[in-house]
Coordinates of all heavy atoms in Angstrom, one line a residue:
M1215 N -30.4 -10.8 -20.2 CA -31.2 -11.3 -19.1 C -32.6 -10.7 -19.2 O -32.8 -9.5 -19.5 CB -30.5 -10.8 -17.8 CG -31.2 -11.2 -16.5 SD -30.1 -10.7 -15.2 CE -30.9 -11.4 -13.9
T1216 N -33.6 -11.5 -18.9 CA -34.9 -11.0 -19.0 C -35.6 -11.0 -17.6 O -35.2 -11.8 -16.7 CB -35.8 -11.9 -19.9 OG1 -35.7 -13.3 -19.4 CG2 -35.2 -12.0 -21.3
S1217 N -36.5 -10.2 -17.5 CA -37.3 -10.2 -16.2 C -38.2 -11.3 -16.1 O -38.7 -11.8 -17.2 CB -38.0 -8.8 -16.0 OG -39.0 -8.7 -17.0
R1218 N -38.5 -11.8 -15.0 CA -39.4 -12.9 -14.8 C -40.7 -12.4 -14.1 O -40.6 -11.8 -13.0 CB -38.7 -13.9 -14.0 CG -39.6 -15.2 -13.8 CD -38.8 -16.2 -13.0 NE -39.7 -16.7 -11.9 CZ -39.4 -17.4 -10.9 NH1 -38.1 -17.7 -10.8 NH2 -40.2 -17.8 -10.1
R1219 N -41.8 -12.7 -14.7 CA -43.0 -12.3 -14.0 C -43.8 -13.6 -13.6 O -43.9 -14.5 -14.4 CB -43.9 -11.5 -15.0 CG -43.3 -10.2 -15.3 CD -44.2 -9.3 -16.1 NE -43.6 -8.0 -16.3 CZ -44.2 -7.1 -16.9 NH1 -45.4 -7.2 -17.4 NH2 -43.6 -5.9 -17.0
M1220 N -44.3 -13.6 -12.4 CA -45.0 -14.7 -11.9 C -46.4 -14.3 -11.6 O -46.7 -13.3 -10.9 CB -44.3 -15.2 -10.6 CG -45.0 -16.4 -10.0 SD -44.3 -17.0 -8.5 CE -42.7 -17.4 -9.1
P1221 N -47.4 -15.0 -12.1 CA -48.8 -14.7 -11.8 C -49.0 -14.9 -10.3 O -48.4 -15.7 -9.7 CB -49.6 -15.8 -12.6 CG -48.6 -16.4 -13.6 CD -47.2 -16.2 -13.1
V1222 N -49.8 -14.0 -9.8 CA -50.0 -14.0 -8.3 C -50.5 -15.3 -7.8 O -50.1 -15.8 -6.8 CB -51.0 -12.9 -7.9 CG1 -51.4 -12.9 -6.5 CG2 -50.4 -11.5 -8.2
D1223 N -51.4 -16.0 -8.6 CA -51.9 -17.3 -8.2 C -50.9 -18.4 -8.1 O -51.2 -19.5 -7.6 CB -53.2 -17.6 -9.0 CG -52.8 -17.8 -10.5 OD1 -51.8 -17.3 -10.9 OD2 -53.6 -18.5 -11.2
R1224 N -49.7 -18.2 -8.7 CA -48.7 -19.2 -8.7 C -47.5 -18.8 -7.8 O -46.5 -19.5 -7.7 CB -48.2 -19.4 -10.1 CG -49.3 -20.1 -11.0 CD -48.8 -20.3 -12.4 NE -47.5 -21.0 -12.5 CZ -46.7 -20.9 -13.5 NH1 -47.1 -20.2 -14.6 NH2 -45.6 -21.5 -13.5
D1225 N -47.6 -17.7 -7.1 CA -46.5 -17.2 -6.3 C -46.4 -18.0 -5.0 O -47.4 -18.1 -4.2 CB -46.8 -15.7 -5.9 CG -45.6 -15.1 -5.2 OD1 -44.8 -15.8 -4.6 OD2 -45.6 -13.8 -5.1
P1226 N -45.3 -18.7 -4.8 CA -45.2 -19.6 -3.6 C -45.3 -18.8 -2.3 O -45.6 -19.4 -1.2 CB -43.9 -20.3 -3.7 CG -43.1 -19.5 -4.7 CD -44.1 -18.8 -5.6
V1227 N -45.0 -17.5 -2.3 CA -45.1 -16.7 -1.1 C -46.6 -16.5 -0.7 O -46.9 -16.2 0.5 CB -44.4 -15.3 -1.3 CG1 -44.6 -14.4 -0.2 CG2 -43.0 -15.5 -1.6
E1228 N -47.5 -16.6 -1.6 CA -48.9 -16.5 -1.4 C -49.3 -15.2 -0.8 O -49.8 -15.1 0.4 CB -49.5 -17.6 -0.6 CG -49.3 -19.0 -1.3 CD -49.8 -20.1 -0.4 OE1 -50.4 -19.9 0.6 OE2 -49.6 -21.3 -0.9
P1229 N -48.9 -14.1 -1.4 CA -49.2 -12.8 -0.8 C -50.7 -12.6 -0.7 O -51.5 -12.9 -1.5 CB -48.6 -11.8 -1.8 CG -48.6 -12.5 -3.1 CD -48.4 -13.9 -2.8
G1230 N -51.1 -12.0 0.5 CA -52.5 -11.7 0.7 C -52.9 -10.3 0.1 O -52.0 -9.7 -0.5
P1231 N -54.1 -9.9 0.3 CA -54.4 -8.6 -0.1 C -53.7 -7.5 0.7 O -53.4 -7.7 1.8 CB -55.9 -8.5 0.1 CG -56.2 -9.5 1.2 CD -55.2 -10.6 1.0
D1232 N -53.4 -6.4 0.0 CA -52.7 -5.3 0.7 C -53.6 -4.8 1.9 O -54.8 -4.7 1.8 CB -52.5 -4.1 -0.2 CG -51.4 -4.4 -1.2 OD1 -50.6 -5.4 -1.0 OD2 -51.2 -3.7 -2.2
R1233 N -53.0 -4.5 3.0 CA -53.7 -4.0 4.2 C -53.1 -2.6 4.4 O -51.9 -2.4 4.6 CB -53.5 -4.8 5.4 CG -54.2 -6.1 5.3 CD -54.1 -6.9 6.6 NE -52.7 -7.5 6.6 CZ -52.0 -7.7 7.8 NH1 -52.6 -7.4 8.9 NH2 -50.8 -8.1 7.7
P1234 N -53.9 -1.5 4.2 CA -53.4 -0.2 4.3 C -53.0 0.2 5.8 O -53.6 -0.3 6.7 CB -54.6 0.7 3.8 CG -55.8 -0.2 4.1 CD -55.3 -1.6 4.0
L1235 N -52.2 1.2 5.9 CA -51.8 1.8 7.1 C -51.6 3.3 6.8 O -51.3 3.7 5.7 CB -50.6 1.2 7.8 CG -49.3 1.1 7.1 CD1 -48.5 2.4 7.2 CD2 -48.4 0.0 7.8
T1236 N -51.6 4.1 7.9 CA -51.2 5.5 7.8 C -50.3 5.9 8.8 O -50.5 5.6 10.0 CB -52.5 6.4 7.9 OG1 -53.4 6.0 6.9 CG2 -52.2 7.8 7.7
I1237 N -49.2 6.6 8.5 CA -48.3 7.1 9.4 C -48.3 8.6 9.3 O -48.8 9.2 8.3 CB -46.8 6.6 9.2 CG1 -46.3 7.0 7.9 CG2 -46.8 5.1 9.4 CD1 -44.8 6.7 7.7
L1238 N -47.9 9.3 10.4 CA -47.9 10.8 10.4 C -46.4 11.2 10.2 O -45.6 10.8 11.0 CB -48.4 11.4 11.7 CG -49.9 11.4 11.8 CD1 -50.3 12.0 13.2 CD2 -50.6 12.1 10.7
V1239 N -46.1 11.9 9.2 CA -44.8 12.4 8.9 C -44.8 13.9 9.1 O -45.4 14.6 8.3 CB -44.3 12.0 7.6 CG1 -42.8 12.5 7.3 CG2 -44.4 10.5 7.4
D1240 N -44.1 14.4 10.1 CA -44.2 15.8 10.4 C -45.6 16.3 10.5 O -45.9 17.4 10.0 CB -43.3 16.6 9.5 CG -41.8 16.3 9.6 OD1 -41.4 15.9 10.7 OD2 -41.1 16.5 8.6
G1241 N -46.5 15.5 11.0 CA -47.9 15.9 11.2 C -48.8 15.7 10.0 O -50.0 15.8 10.0
E1242 N -48.2 15.2 8.9 CA -48.9 15.0 7.6 C -49.2 13.5 7.4 O -48.2 12.7 7.5 CB -48.2 15.5 6.4 CG -48.9 15.3 5.1 CD -48.0 15.8 4.0 OE1 -47.2 16.8 4.2 OE2 -48.1 15.3 2.9
P1243 N -50.4 13.0 7.2 CA -50.7 11.6 7.0 C -50.1 11.1 5.7 O -50.2 11.8 4.7 CB -52.2 11.5 7.0 CG -52.7 12.9 6.9 CD -51.6 13.8 7.2
V1244 N -49.4 10.0 5.8 CA -48.8 9.3 4.6 C -49.3 7.9 4.6 O -49.1 7.2 5.6 CB -47.3 9.4 4.6 CG1 -46.7 8.7 3.4 CG2 -46.8 10.9 4.7
A1245 N -49.9 7.5 3.5 CA -50.5 6.1 3.4 C -49.4 5.1 2.9 O -48.5 5.4 2.2 CB -51.6 6.1 2.3
G1246 N -49.5 3.9 3.5 CA -48.6 2.8 3.2 C -49.4 1.5 3.2 O -50.6 1.5 3.3
T1247 N -48.6 0.5 3.3 CA -49.1 -0.9 3.3 C -48.4 -1.7 4.4 O -47.2 -1.5 4.6 CB -48.9 -1.6 1.9 OG1 -49.5 -0.8 0.9 CG2 -49.4 -3.0 1.9
V1248 N -49.2 -2.5 5.1 CA -48.6 -3.3 6.2 C -47.5 -4.1 5.6 O -47.6 -4.7 4.5 CB -49.7 -4.2 6.8 CG1 -49.0 -5.2 7.7 CG2 -50.7 -3.4 7.5
G1249 N -46.3 -4.1 6.2 CA -45.2 -4.9 5.8 C -44.1 -3.9 5.2 O -42.9 -4.3 5.1
Q1250 N -44.4 -2.7 4.8 CA -43.4 -1.8 4.3 C -42.6 -1.2 5.5 O -43.2 -1.0 6.6 CB -44.1 -0.6 3.6 CG -44.6 -0.9 2.3 CD -45.2 0.3 1.6 OE1 -46.1 1.0 2.2 NE2 -44.8 0.6 0.4
T1251 N -41.4 -0.9 5.3 CA -40.6 -0.1 6.2 C -41.1 1.3 6.1 O -41.8 1.7 5.2 CB -39.1 -0.2 5.9 OG1 -38.9 0.4 4.6 CG2 -38.6 -1.7 5.9
I1252 N -40.6 2.1 7.1 CA -40.9 3.5 7.1 C -40.3 4.1 5.8 O -40.9 4.9 5.1 CB -40.4 4.2 8.3 CG1 -41.3 3.8 9.5 CG2 -40.5 5.7 8.2 CD1 -40.9 4.3 10.9
A1253 N -39.1 3.7 5.5 CA -38.5 4.2 4.3 C -39.3 3.8 3.0 O -39.5 4.6 2.1 CB -37.0 3.7 4.1
G1254 N -39.8 2.6 3.1 CA -40.6 2.1 1.9 C -41.9 3.0 1.8 O -42.3 3.3 0.7
V1255 N -42.5 3.3 2.9 CA -43.7 4.2 2.9 C -43.3 5.5 2.3 O -44.0 6.1 1.4 CB -44.3 4.3 4.3 CG1 -45.5 5.4 4.2 CG2 -44.9 3.0 4.7
L1256 N -42.2 6.1 2.8 CA -41.8 7.4 2.3 C -41.5 7.4 0.8 O -41.9 8.3 0.1 CB -40.7 7.9 3.2 CG -41.0 8.2 4.6 CD1 -39.7 8.5 5.4 CD2 -41.9 9.4 4.7
L1257 N -40.7 6.4 0.4 CA -40.3 6.3 -1.0 C -41.6 6.2 -1.9 O -41.7 6.8 -3.0 CB -39.3 5.2 -1.2 CG -37.9 5.4 -0.6 CD1 -37.1 4.2 -0.7 CD2 -37.2 6.6 -1.3
A1258 N -42.5 5.3 -1.4 CA -43.7 5.1 -2.2 C -44.5 6.3 -2.4 O -45.3 6.5 -3.3 CB -44.5 3.9 -1.6
A1259 N -44.4 7.2 -1.4 CA -45.1 8.5 -1.4 C -44.4 9.5 -2.2 O -44.8 10.7 -2.2 CB -45.4 8.9 0.0
G1260 N -43.2 9.2 -2.8 CA -42.5 10.1 -3.6 C -41.5 11.0 -2.8 O -40.9 11.9 -3.4
R1261 N -41.2 10.6 -1.6 CA -40.2 11.4 -0.8 C -38.9 10.7 -0.9 O -38.8 9.5 -0.7 CB -40.7 11.5 0.6 CG -42.0 12.2 0.8 CD -42.4 12.2 2.2 NE -43.7 12.7 2.3 CZ -44.1 13.5 3.3 NH1 -43.2 13.8 4.3 NH2 -45.3 14.0 3.3
R1262 N -37.9 11.4 -1.3 CA -36.6 10.8 -1.4 C -35.6 11.3 -0.4 O -34.5 10.8 -0.2 CB -36.0 11.2 -2.8 CG -36.8 10.5 -3.9 CD -36.1 10.7 -5.2 NE -36.9 9.9 -6.2 CZ -36.5 9.8 -7.4 NH1 -35.5 10.4 -7.9 NH2 -37.2 9.0 -8.2
E1263 N -35.9 12.3 0.4 CA -35.0 12.8 1.4 C -35.8 13.3 2.6 O -37.0 13.8 2.4 CB -34.2 14.0 0.9 CG -35.0 15.1 0.3 CD -34.2 16.0 -0.7 OE1 -33.5 15.5 -1.6 OE2 -34.4 17.2 -0.5
W1264 N -35.3 13.0 3.8 CA -36.1 13.4 5.0 C -35.2 13.7 6.1 O -35.6 13.7 7.3 CB -37.1 12.3 5.4 CG -36.5 10.9 5.4 CD1 -35.8 10.3 6.5 CD2 -36.6 9.9 4.4 NE1 -35.4 9.1 6.1 CE2 -35.9 8.7 4.9 CE3 -37.2 9.8 3.1 CZ2 -35.8 7.6 4.1 CZ3 -37.0 8.7 2.4 CH2 -36.4 7.6 2.9
R1265 N -33.9 14.0 5.9 CA -33.0 14.3 6.9 C -31.9 15.3 6.3 O -31.7 15.2 5.1 CB -32.3 13.1 7.4 CG -31.4 13.3 8.6 CD -30.8 12.0 9.1 NE -29.7 11.5 8.3 CZ -28.4 11.9 8.3 NH1 -28.1 12.8 9.2 NH2 -27.5 11.4 7.6
T1266 N -31.3 16.1 7.1 CA -30.2 16.9 6.6 C -29.0 16.6 7.5 O -29.1 16.3 8.6 CB -30.5 18.4 6.6 OG1 -30.9 18.8 7.9 CG2 -31.6 18.7 5.6
T1267 N -27.8 16.7 6.8 CA -26.6 16.5 7.6 C -26.2 17.6 8.4 O -26.6 18.8 8.2 CB -25.4 16.2 6.6 OG1 -25.2 17.4 5.8 CG2 -25.7 15.0 5.7
S1268 N -25.4 17.4 9.5 CA -24.9 18.4 10.3 C -23.9 19.3 9.6 O -23.8 20.5 10.0 CB -24.3 17.8 11.6 OG -23.2 17.0 11.3
A1269 N -23.2 18.8 8.7 CA -22.2 19.6 8.0 C -22.7 20.0 6.6 O -22.8 19.2 5.7 CB -20.9 18.8 7.8
G1270 N -23.2 21.2 6.5 CA -23.7 21.7 5.3 C -25.2 21.5 5.0 O -25.7 22.0 4.0
G1271 N -25.9 20.8 5.8 CA -27.3 20.6 5.7 C -27.7 19.9 4.4 O -28.7 20.1 3.8
A1272 N -26.8 18.9 4.0 CA -27.1 18.2 2.7 C -28.3 17.2 3.0 O -28.4 16.6 4.0 CB -25.9 17.4 2.3
P1273 N -29.2 17.1 2.0 CA -30.3 16.2 2.1 C -29.9 14.7 2.1 O -29.0 14.3 1.4 CB -31.2 16.5 0.9 CG -30.3 17.1 -0.1 CD -29.2 17.7 0.7
R1274 N -30.6 13.9 2.9 CA -30.4 12.5 3.0 C -31.7 11.7 3.0 O -32.7 12.2 3.6 CB -29.5 12.1 4.2 CG -28.1 12.6 4.2 CD -27.3 11.9 3.2 NE -25.9 12.3 3.2 CZ -25.4 13.2 2.4 NH1 -26.1 13.9 1.6 NH2 -24.1 13.5 2.5
G1275 N -31.7 10.5 2.5 CA -32.8 9.6 2.6 C -32.3 8.2 2.7 O -31.5 7.9 3.5
V1276 N -32.6 7.3 1.7 CA -32.1 6.0 1.7 C -30.8 6.0 0.8 O -30.8 6.5 -0.3 CB -33.1 5.0 1.1 CG1 -32.5 3.7 0.8 CG2 -34.3 4.8 2.1
F1277 N -29.8 5.4 1.4 CA -28.6 5.2 0.6 C -28.3 3.7 0.4 O -28.4 3.2 -0.6 CB -27.4 5.9 1.2 CG -26.1 5.7 0.5 CD1 -26.0 6.4 -0.8 CD2 -25.1 5.0 0.9 CE1 -24.8 6.2 -1.5 CE2 -23.9 4.8 0.2 CZ -23.8 5.4 -1.0
C1278 N -28.1 3.0 1.6 CA -27.8 1.6 1.5 C -29.1 0.7 1.5 O -29.1 -0.3 0.8 CB -26.8 1.1 2.6 SG -27.6 1.1 4.2
G1279 N -30.0 1.1 2.3 CA -31.3 0.4 2.4 C -31.2 -0.9 3.2 O -32.2 -1.6 3.3
I1280 N -30.1 -1.1 3.9 CA -29.9 -2.3 4.6 C -29.4 -2.1 6.1 O -28.8 -3.0 6.7 CB -29.0 -3.3 3.9 CG1 -27.6 -2.7 3.6 CG2 -29.6 -3.8 2.7 CD1 -26.6 -3.7 3.1
G1281 N -29.5 -0.8 6.5 CA -29.1 -0.6 7.9 C -27.6 -0.3 8.2 O -27.2 -0.3 9.3
V1282 N -26.9 0.0 7.2 CA -25.4 0.2 7.4 C -25.0 1.6 7.4 O -24.2 2.0 8.2 CB -24.6 -0.5 6.2 CG1 -23.2 -0.3 6.3 CG2 -24.9 -2.0 6.3
C1283 N -25.6 2.5 6.6 CA -25.1 3.8 6.4 C -25.7 4.9 7.4 O -25.1 5.9 7.6 CB -25.3 4.3 5.0 SG -27.0 4.7 4.6
F1284 N -26.8 4.6 8.0 CA -27.5 5.6 8.9 C -27.9 6.9 8.2 O -28.1 7.9 8.8 CB -26.6 5.9 10.1 CG -26.4 4.7 11.0 CD1 -25.6 3.7 10.7 CD2 -27.1 4.7 12.2 CE1 -25.5 2.5 11.6 CE2 -27.0 3.6 13.1 CZ -26.2 2.5 12.7
D1285 N -28.0 6.9 6.9 CA -28.5 8.1 6.2 C -30.0 8.3 6.4 O -30.4 9.4 6.2 CB -28.2 8.0 4.7 CG -26.9 8.6 4.3 OD1 -26.1 9.1 5.2 OD2 -26.6 8.7 3.1
C1286 N -30.7 7.3 6.7 CA -32.2 7.4 6.7 C -32.8 7.7 8.1 O -34.0 7.5 8.3 CB -32.7 6.1 6.2 SG -32.3 4.7 7.2
L1287 N -32.0 8.2 9.0 CA -32.5 8.4 10.4 C -33.7 9.3 10.5 O -33.8 10.3 9.8 CB -31.4 8.9 11.3 CG -30.1 8.0 11.4 CD1 -29.1 8.7 12.3 CD2 -30.5 6.7 12.0
V1288 N -34.6 8.8 11.4 CA -35.8 9.6 11.7 C -36.1 9.4 13.2 O -35.6 8.5 13.8 CB -37.1 9.2 10.8 CG1 -36.9 9.6 9.4 CG2 -37.3 7.7 11.0
D1289 N -37.0 10.3 13.7 CA -37.6 10.0 15.0 C -38.9 9.3 14.8 O -39.7 9.7 14.0 CB -37.9 11.4 15.7 CG -36.6 12.1 16.1 OD1 -35.5 11.6 15.9 OD2 -36.8 13.2 16.6
V1290 N -39.1 8.2 15.6 CA -40.3 7.5 15.5 C -41.0 7.3 16.9 O -40.3 6.8 17.8 CB -40.1 6.1 14.9 CG1 -41.4 5.3 14.8 CG2 -39.4 6.1 13.5
N1291 N -42.1 7.9 17.0 CA -42.9 7.8 18.3 C -42.0 8.3 19.4 O -42.0 7.7 20.5 CB -43.4 6.4 18.6 CG -44.3 5.9 17.5 OD1 -45.0 6.7 16.8 ND2 -44.3 4.6 17.2
G1292 N -41.2 9.4 19.2 CA -40.4 10.0 20.2 C -39.0 9.4 20.4 O -38.2 9.9 21.2
L1293 N -38.7 8.3 19.7 CA -37.4 7.6 19.8 C -36.5 8.2 18.6 O -36.9 8.1 17.5 CB -37.6 6.1 19.6 CG -36.4 5.3 19.8 CD1 -35.8 5.4 21.2 CD2 -36.7 3.8 19.5
R1294 N -35.4 8.7 19.0 CA -34.5 9.4 18.1 C -33.6 8.3 17.4 O -33.4 7.3 17.9 CB -33.6 10.4 18.8 CG -32.8 11.3 17.9 CD -32.3 12.5 18.7 NE -31.4 13.3 17.8 CZ -31.8 14.1 16.9 NH1 -33.0 14.3 16.6 NH2 -30.9 14.7 16.2
D1295 N -33.2 8.7 16.2 CA -32.2 7.9 15.4 C -32.6 6.5 15.1 O -31.9 5.5 15.2 CB -30.8 7.9 16.2 CG -30.2 9.2 16.4 OD1 -30.5 10.1 15.6 OD2 -29.4 9.4 17.3
V1296 N -33.8 6.4 14.6 CA -34.4 5.1 14.1 C -34.0 5.0 12.6 O -34.3 6.0 11.9 CB -35.9 5.0 14.3 CG1 -36.4 3.8 13.7 CG2 -36.2 5.1 15.8
R1297 N -33.5 3.9 12.2 CA -33.2 3.7 10.8 C -34.5 3.4 10.0 O -35.0 2.3 10.2 CB -32.1 2.6 10.6 CG -30.7 3.1 11.0 CD -29.7 2.0 11.0 NE -30.0 1.3 12.2 CZ -29.3 0.2 12.6 NH1 -28.3 -0.3 11.8 NH2 -29.5 -0.4 13.7
A1298 N -34.9 4.3 9.2 CA -36.2 4.1 8.5 C -36.2 2.9 7.6 O -37.2 2.3 7.3 CB -36.5 5.4 7.7
C1299 N -35.0 2.5 7.1 CA -34.9 1.3 6.2 C -35.1 0.0 6.9 O -35.3 -1.0 6.2 CB -33.6 1.4 5.4 SG -32.2 1.0 6.4
L1300 N -35.0 0.0 8.2 CA -35.1 -1.2 9.0 C -36.4 -1.3 9.7 O -36.9 -2.4 10.1 CB -33.9 -1.4 9.9 CG -32.5 -1.5 9.3 CD1 -31.5 -1.7 10.4 CD2 -32.5 -2.7 8.3
R1301 N -37.0 -0.2 10.1 CA -38.2 -0.2 11.0 C -39.4 -0.4 10.2 O -39.7 0.4 9.3 CB -38.2 1.1 11.7 CG -39.4 1.4 12.5 CD -39.6 0.5 13.7 NE -40.4 1.2 14.7 CZ -41.7 1.4 14.6 NH1 -42.4 1.1 13.4 NH2 -42.4 2.0 15.5
R1302 N -40.2 -1.5 10.4 CA -41.5 -1.6 9.8 C -42.4 -0.6 10.3 O -42.5 -0.3 11.5 CB -42.0 -3.0 10.1 CG -41.3 -4.1 9.3 CD -42.1 -5.3 9.1 NE -41.2 -6.3 8.6 CZ -41.4 -6.9 7.5 NH1 -42.5 -6.7 6.8 NH2 -40.6 -7.8 7.1
A1303 N -43.2 0.0 9.3 CA -44.2 1.0 9.7 C -45.3 0.3 10.4 O -45.7 -0.8 10.0 CB -44.6 1.7 8.4
R1304 N -45.9 1.0 11.4 CA -47.1 0.5 12.0 C -48.1 1.6 11.9 O -47.8 2.8 12.0 CB -46.8 0.2 13.5 CG -46.0 -1.0 13.7 CD -45.9 -1.4 15.2 NE -44.6 -2.0 15.4 CZ -43.8 -1.6 16.4 NH1 -44.2 -0.7 17.3 NH2 -42.6 -2.1 16.5
D1305 N -49.3 1.2 11.8 CA -50.4 2.2 11.7 C -50.4 3.2 12.8 O -50.3 2.7 14.0 CB -51.8 1.5 11.6 CG -52.9 2.4 11.1 OD1 -52.6 3.2 10.2 OD2 -54.0 2.3 11.7
G1306 N -50.4 4.4 12.5 CA -50.4 5.5 13.6 C -49.0 5.9 14.0 O -48.9 6.8 14.9
D1307 N -47.9 5.3 13.5 CA -46.6 5.8 13.8 C -46.5 7.3 13.6 O -46.9 7.8 12.6 CB -45.5 5.1 13.0 CG -45.1 3.7 13.6 OD1 -45.4 3.5 14.7 OD2 -44.5 3.0 12.8
V1308 N -45.8 8.0 14.5 CA -45.5 9.4 14.4 C -44.0 9.6 14.0 O -43.2 9.2 14.9 CB -45.9 10.2 15.7 CG1 -45.5 11.6 15.5 CG2 -47.4 10.0 16.0
V1309 N -43.8 10.0 12.8 CA -42.4 10.1 12.3 C -42.1 11.6 12.2 O -42.9 12.4 11.7 CB -42.3 9.4 10.9 CG1 -40.9 9.6 10.3 CG2 -42.6 7.9 11.1
V1310 N -40.9 11.9 12.7 CA -40.4 13.3 12.6 C -39.1 13.3 11.9 O -38.2 12.5 12.3 CB -40.3 14.0 14.0 CG1 -39.8 15.4 13.9 CG2 -41.7 14.0 14.7
R1311 N -39.0 14.1 10.9 CA -37.7 14.2 10.2 C -36.7 14.8 11.1 O -37.0 15.7 11.9 CB -37.9 15.0 8.9 CG -38.9 14.3 8.0 CD -39.0 15.1 6.7 NE -39.0 16.5 6.8 CZ -38.7 17.3 5.9 NH1 -38.3 16.9 4.7 NH2 -38.7 18.6 6.1
Q1312 N -35.4 14.5 10.8 CA -34.3 15.0 11.6 C -33.5 16.0 10.8 O -33.2 15.8 9.7 CB -33.4 13.9 12.1 CG -34.0 13.0 13.1 CD -33.0 12.0 13.6 OE1 -31.8 11.9 13.3 NE2 -33.5 11.1 14.6
G1313 N -33.3 17.1 11.4 CA -32.4 18.1 10.8 C -31.4 18.5 11.9 O -31.7 19.0 12.9
E1314 N -30.1 18.3 11.6 CA -29.1 18.6 12.6 C -28.8 20.1 12.5 O -28.8 20.7 11.5 CB -27.8 17.8 12.2 CG -28.0 16.3 12.2 CD -28.4 15.7 13.6 OE1 -28.0 16.3 14.6 OE2 -29.1 14.7 13.6
P1315 N -28.5 20.6 13.7 CA -28.1 22.0 13.7 C -26.7 22.2 13.1 O -25.9 21.3 13.1 CB -28.0 22.3 15.2 CG -27.8 21.0 15.9 CD -28.5 20.0 15.0
E1316 N -26.5 23.3 12.5 CA -25.3 23.6 11.8 C -24.1 23.6 12.8 O -24.2 24.1 13.8 CB -25.3 25.0 11.1 CG -24.2 25.3 10.2 CD -24.2 24.5 8.9 OE1 -25.2 24.1 8.5 OE2 -23.1 24.3 8.4
V1317 N -23.1 22.8 12.4 CA -21.9 22.8 13.3 C -21.0 24.0 13.0 O -20.7 24.3 11.9 CB -21.0 21.5 13.0 CG1 -19.7 21.5 13.8 CG2 -21.8 20.3 13.3
V1318 N -20.7 24.7 14.1 CA -19.9 25.9 14.0 C -18.5 25.6 14.4 O -18.2 25.1 15.5 CB -20.4 27.1 14.9 CG1 -19.6 28.3 14.8 CG2 -21.9 27.3 14.5
A1319 N -17.5 25.8 13.5 CA -16.1 25.5 13.8 C -15.4 26.6 14.6 O -15.8 27.7 14.6 CB -15.3 25.2 12.6
Ligands
LIG911 S1 -30.4 3.6 4.2 FE1 -28.6 3.1 5.1 S2 -29.1 2.7 7.2 FE2 -31.0 3.1 6.2

């Protein structure tokens, strides 16, 4: 199987020029492009994990990428438990990583 490359001028989707956006992640500006999900912005910025599990504090980021696993949860503009893989980033979004407190048995 070979990869297929299509010249931009023949792409039926007719993508326009990239439009930049900036989100704040734990107070740090992260650059992205309009149309990316929050997970897409984070991954493009080289971040692979942004949450920790309640049991053991294991790092999590994108696992399924389609809204099924809930591994990618973040707080967005004060709203908790937003799936970063589904939520399109908007310029100025304030994203806070989630870290669950350790569960004591
Ligand atoms: S990566 Fe699975 S729900 Fe977002």
Side-chain angles (χ1 to χ4, degrees):
M1215 184 172 187
T1216 60
S1217 63
R1218 183 179 133 191
R1219 292 186 177 181
M1220 179 180 298
V1222 172
D1223 61 338
R1224 293 178 49 204
D1225 187 341
V1227 175
E1228 299 179 5
D1232 287 347
R1233 289 182 289 147
L1235 60 77
T1236 302
I1237 62 174
L1238 284 180
V1239 181
D1240 293 335
E1242 180 184 331
V1244 178
T1247 301
V1248 171
Q1250 286 182 307
T1251 61
I1252 290 173
V1255 171
L1256 292 171
L1257 290 170
R1261 298 176 185 220
R1262 293 189 173 182
E1263 53 200 50
W1264 49 81
R1265 184 177 78 82
T1266 55
T1267 61
S1268 57
R1274 292 290 186 266
V1276 168
F1277 181 68
C1278 72
I1280 58 172
V1282 175
C1283 73
F1284 290 74
D1285 266 5
C1286 62
L1287 297 177
V1288 289
D1289 292 358
V1290 180
N1291 301 330
L1293 185 63
R1294 189 164 172 78
D1295 296 337
V1296 175
R1297 286 170 284 179
C1299 69
L1300 295 182
R1301 169 68 155 71
R1302 285 204 192 236
R1304 288 189 217 130
D1305 194 39
D1307 275 344
V1308 176
V1309 176
V1310 177
R1311 299 184 317 157
Q1312 292 185 359
E1314 301 294 333
E1316 187 73 26
V1317 174
V1318 179

